[in-house]
Structure formats: C-alpha cells, structure tokens
Amino acid sequence: MYQIFGNSFVRHMSFVWISTRKRLNTRQLCRQTNRVIKSHVSVFAKSSPLMLSLMWWTNKDKPLDENSFMSQTITPFNELIANESDMKSKFELFVMKVQKEVCLELQKVEDKEHLIDTQVDGQNQSVKFKVDRWTRAEGGGGVTCVLEDGQVFEKAGVNISVVYGKLPTPAAQQMRSRGKTLKENADLKFFACGVSSVIHPRNPNVPTLHFNYRYFEVEDVTNNEKHWWFGGGTDMTPYILNENDCIHFHKTLKNSCDKHNKDYYPKFKKWCDDYFFINHRKECRGIGGLFFDDMDYPNQKDSFEFVKSCADSITTCYIPVVNNNVTKGYSYADRQWQLLRRGRYVEFNLIYDRGTKFGLFTPGARYESILMSLPLVAKWQYCHSPEPNSKEDKLIQILKTPRDWV
C-alpha cells in the first residue's frame, strides 16, 4: 500500500482508523488530513477500516477493456483477449496501453502550461492530441496521435502500428544483412507491431525525445519455420546542454536495464551511440540512451518483460526534464540553433533510420505516419559552425565524442 499511495496516505489511513474507533467528528478529522486526501474526507470520516480496504482494492488497475486506449484496437478487442497468450496479441495490447499513458502525461504538461498562460493571452482551450485510426488494405493498420503547435510541444506524436502480410523483398534483404537466416525466394509472411514516438518541444532548453518498442515475426510458410525478435530503445536530443538532465535520463534507463541484466545498459548504450550516428557529419544525433534490436534472448517471456520495463521508464526519464526547463527563457539565437539541430535530426531519419526505411519499403505504407517523426520547423544553413568554446560548441564536442553519463 505504501508503494502505491505514499507515506502521507498511510499516515492518513492510520489516523482515520483511530478516529473511527474514537468517534472523532469530521471537523477534527479535516484538520489533520493531508491536503492530497482532503477531497475524500467526508467518505473517510464515515468509513470503517474494512471500507477503507475495499476502497483501496477498487482503485487498483482495472482490467483492460475497449475504452482503455486512445482508440479502438486494430485487431478486434475480443480476438486479442481470446488469444492473449499469443505474443502478437500481448504486444498489441501493450503498445496501445503505452500510447495512452504517454499521451496522457504529455497532455497534462501541455494543459498545465496553458492554464498558466491563459491569464495573459485569454485563450480558452489548450491544444489536444488528434487521434487518427487508419487501416491498411494489405493487412493491419495503426493509430496515430499527434499534438501540433502547442505551447510546450511544437509537435508530439505517439504512433502504434500493427501490420502484417507478405514480407517485401527489400525488407527481407535488410534482415539477412543483419544475420537473419531467411531463405531466398521463400514465401515469407511477417507480423510487425510497435509503438513509436518523437516529441519536439518549442523551448530550446527542453530536449527532443524519441522512443520505439517493437515486436517482429517472420514465418516461412514453406517449412512452417518462425523467427521472432524484439527491438527498440529510448534516446534524447538536447539543444542546450544540461548535464544534470543527461545524468537523470541515463540513470533512469540504467535502472530499468539493471532489473534484468547488468550487462544490458552498457551494451545497449553503446549500441545507441553507434546507431544514432550521422556518418556524413561525424556526430551523434543526440546524447544517446538505449538501442537494441534482434533480441530473441534469453527467451520470449523475459525479453518481453525487459521491453515493458524500458517502456515504463519513458515518462520517468523525460517528464522531469521537461518540467525543469519548460519555463526557462531563451534568445533568438537559441531558437535558430534549435532549428539547425532539428535539420540534423531530419537528415538522420531520412538517410539512416532503419524503421523509416522499413516503413517506406512496406506495401501500403502510410507516409503521414512514417514521417510523423519530422519536426514542424527545421533549418539548414550553409557551412554553419558554432563559435569555439560556446555552449553550442560544447554540445557538438559531446556529440562527436559520446560520454558515459553514469
């Protein structure tokens, strides 16, 4: 109970239990109630210990239903529940849940800053996520959630996709190049399910965040041979470097990894630095994080549990960073630097990113969702180079030589 409600709630429950035994009145109860629980005092004053226990149980996570997500699931919900032991069903429910949780947390931040600013500009409504559920004629579909032109987030997208069908030849070749033993000219069917997000804030003091978690199956219909693996990661791209934020971000990710294997964080941190490298610029896209692919070890259950731990850390590693920086002031020069760095972000995604390439290779590709990762505004300037020893130059030096933050 302590882990769920915190110390103040436990103290309050103890006090209410004593109060019901001593028949203290509601006024006395109110004076000693924690401010977080005040709205419930009339209920608590009438409650017995048994009733309080029942209240706690009713507040536990409720079973998933069709209203648990941002949209209707792609696979009919009843089918997912009927086949919930199958990893394809498990993962679709998982990504739908992650999408809802992240969208709600981002919306809270956007709404909070809006309420502060409405005292000045008089606006009546904050920007909300647009929810766009789409289907794919070749099989599957997705749910794209996008918030654009907000006060905190210039563009924030959280997408899920569930696609299946015949594996395209270019995609099969890409997988073989990574060591997958897929036979040439075989009849290959695939299933791909994932959640992907890119969050571009308005304030240059707030970093961009990207995360992606996915599950893949390829089946050789000829001999009924099946391959499966997980992939994903979380990484952050600052514009104005705040070292404490970077340390917090990496510590949070490391804690998620260490619950499963102490070797995961150093391995996947290096993989992230190597993967998000803009080769023609000889610099990393950001300060890294985690990246892994082709995870079919130690077994399917444990791999999935690791992915869930990584997803659970998304808001923990990022929302405090947003809150620490969102009200900081910035200059015109800071904004121009942010736009230049966004240009680098675009270069990586369109030239190197594996997920973007797979999406574009897939028949029936939905380009609006694939290109959701691109910022609303970016900039390119001919032969730009920051002033030596400037804060911009300090960031570039770290991008050229990745640092161990924890």
Side-chain angles (χ1 to χ4, degrees):
M1 188 178 295
Y2 174 82
Q3 292 176 340
I4 296 175
F5 293 104
N7 190 45
S8 63
F9 187 85
V10 174
R11 289 200 306 270
H12 179 75
M13 286 186 63
S14 300
F15 173 71
V16 172
W17 182 81
I18 294 170
S19 299
T20 55
R21 294 292 297 273
K22 293 183 177 181
R23 297 294 188 270
L24 298 181
N25 62 40
T26 304
R27 186 184 299 273
Q28 290 173 298
L29 205 58
C30 267
R31 280 200 292 265
Q32 301 178 54
T33 299
N34 184 281
R35 59 186 292 271
V36 179
I37 313 299
K38 279 185 178 178
S39 61
H40 301 290
V41 67
S42 62
V43 177
F44 285 166
K46 300 174 184 178
S47 300
S48 67
L50 175 60
M51 288 301 295
L52 291 172
S53 298
L54 291 173
M55 288 171 59
W56 177 72
W57 280 106
T58 58
N59 284 330
K60 292 184 70 179
D61 287 343
K62 296 179 181 179
L64 294 176
D65 59 33
E66 293 181 83
N67 299 314
S68 300
F69 313 117
M70 295 296 287
S71 167
Q72 178 186 349
T73 55
I74 302 305
T75 305
F77 183 77
N78 290 339
E79 287 186 26
L80 293 174
I81 298 302
N83 297 288
E84 60 184 347
S85 61
D86 182 77
M87 184 53 69
K88 296 192 292 294
S89 297
K90 284 183 182 179
F91 209 81
E92 182 172 347
L93 291 169
F94 161 70
V95 297
M96 294 291 292
K97 184 171 180 285
V98 171
Q99 181 186 53
K100 176 70 172 286
E101 291 172 350
V102 173
C103 285
L104 288 181
E105 289 302 312
L106 296 177
Q107 191 70 64
K108 285 179 186 177
V109 176
E110 183 67 33
D111 291 346
K112 177 183 176 183
E113 292 306 313
H114 166 79
L115 289 174
I116 293 172
D117 289 349
T118 50
Q119 299 173 11
V120 177
D121 60 27
Q123 294 180 14
N124 295 319
Q125 292 185 343
S126 61
V127 178
K128 304 295 183 182
F129 272 96
K130 176 182 178 181
V131 180
D132 183 16
R133 184 182 184 275
W134 51 273
T135 56
R136 174 176 172 267
E138 293 80 1
V143 181
T144 299
C145 296
V146 178
L147 186 155
E148 285 187 332
D149 209 19
Q151 295 186 33
V152 178
F153 305 112
E154 197 163 353
K155 186 176 183 183
V158 189
N159 294 352
I160 70 101
S161 61
V162 183
V163 296
Y164 48 85
K166 184 175 180 179
L167 186 68
T169 300
Q173 291 173 345
Q174 189 184 82
M175 293 171 188
R176 290 188 189 97
S177 70
R178 305 202 318 267
K180 298 298 179 185
T181 55
L182 306 178
K183 295 180 180 179
E184 296 283 351
N185 302 317
D187 184 8
L188 301 174
K189 291 185 177 181
F190 80 97
F191 170 88
C193 179
V195 56
S196 180
S197 175
V198 178
I199 303 161
H200 293 293
R202 186 177 296 281
N203 190 323
N205 290 286
V206 183
T208 283
L209 183 82
H210 161 257
F211 70 84
N212 174 283
Y213 292 98
R214 55 194 179 272
Y215 174 71
F216 216 99
E217 279 189 9
V218 177
E219 182 179 0
D220 186 337
V221 179
T222 307
N223 57 18
N224 201 31
E225 185 177 74
K226 184 181 292 186
H227 306 265
W228 61 264
W229 64 91
F230 297 89
T234 304
D235 64 279
M236 193 166 74
T237 302
Y239 307 102
I240 298 173
L241 188 68
N242 182 320
E243 296 194 6
N244 288 334
D245 290 340
C246 298
I247 292 169
H248 163 79
F249 178 77
H250 276 271
K251 274 187 175 180
T252 306
L253 297 182
K254 182 178 185 299
N255 290 340
S256 296
C257 292
D258 287 352
K259 295 175 185 176
H260 301 270
N261 190 314
K262 298 286 186 180
D263 294 331
Y264 280 175
Y265 173 75
K267 176 181 178 181
F268 298 152
K269 191 269 184 189
K270 184 180 185 307
W271 199 342
C272 187
D273 291 335
D274 293 341
Y275 178 79
F276 291 105
F277 185 73
I278 307 172
N279 191 54
H280 62 278
R281 299 283 186 181
K282 302 302 179 187
E283 64 188 35
C284 294
R285 188 177 74 176
I287 54 97
L290 301 176
F291 179 84
F292 60 93
D293 207 350
D294 304 317
M295 176 178 266
D296 53 6
Y297 51 85
N299 54 64
Q300 194 175 69
K301 178 180 179 297
D302 289 344
S303 298
F304 184 38
E305 290 301 316
F306 170 66
V307 169
K308 289 196 289 186
S309 292
C310 292
D312 285 343
S313 71
I314 292 166
T315 56
T316 309
C317 72
Y318 184 61
I319 296 299
V321 173
V322 176
N323 291 332
N324 287 343
N325 296 285
V326 70
T327 58
K328 289 182 179 178
Y330 58 91
S331 65
Y332 175 81
D334 292 336
R335 173 64 170 171
Q336 298 309 301
W337 172 246
Q338 179 196 43
L339 297 182
L340 285 169
R341 294 309 309 170
R342 283 184 179 175
R344 301 290 200 268
Y345 206 96
V346 171
E347 290 176 20
F348 177 85
N349 281 26
L350 294 183
I351 298 173
Y352 300 109
D353 186 64
R354 189 182 298 166
T356 301
K357 288 182 177 179
F358 175 80
L360 296 175
F361 286 153
T362 304
R366 190 170 191 271
Y367 302 110
E368 288 293 337
S369 296
I370 296 169
L371 300 179
M372 178 278 302
S373 63
L374 303 183
L376 204 60
V377 185
K379 180 178 178 178
W380 286 263
Q381 185 173 331
Y382 183 72
C383 289
H384 180 272
S385 181
E387 291 290 329
N389 301 317
S390 63
K391 61 184 178 183
E392 294 83 3
D393 183 58
K394 181 179 179 181
L395 175 63
I396 289 294
Q397 297 313 311
I398 289 176
L399 299 181
K400 289 184 177 295
T401 308
R403 181 185 298 184
D404 288 329
W405 294 100
V406 292

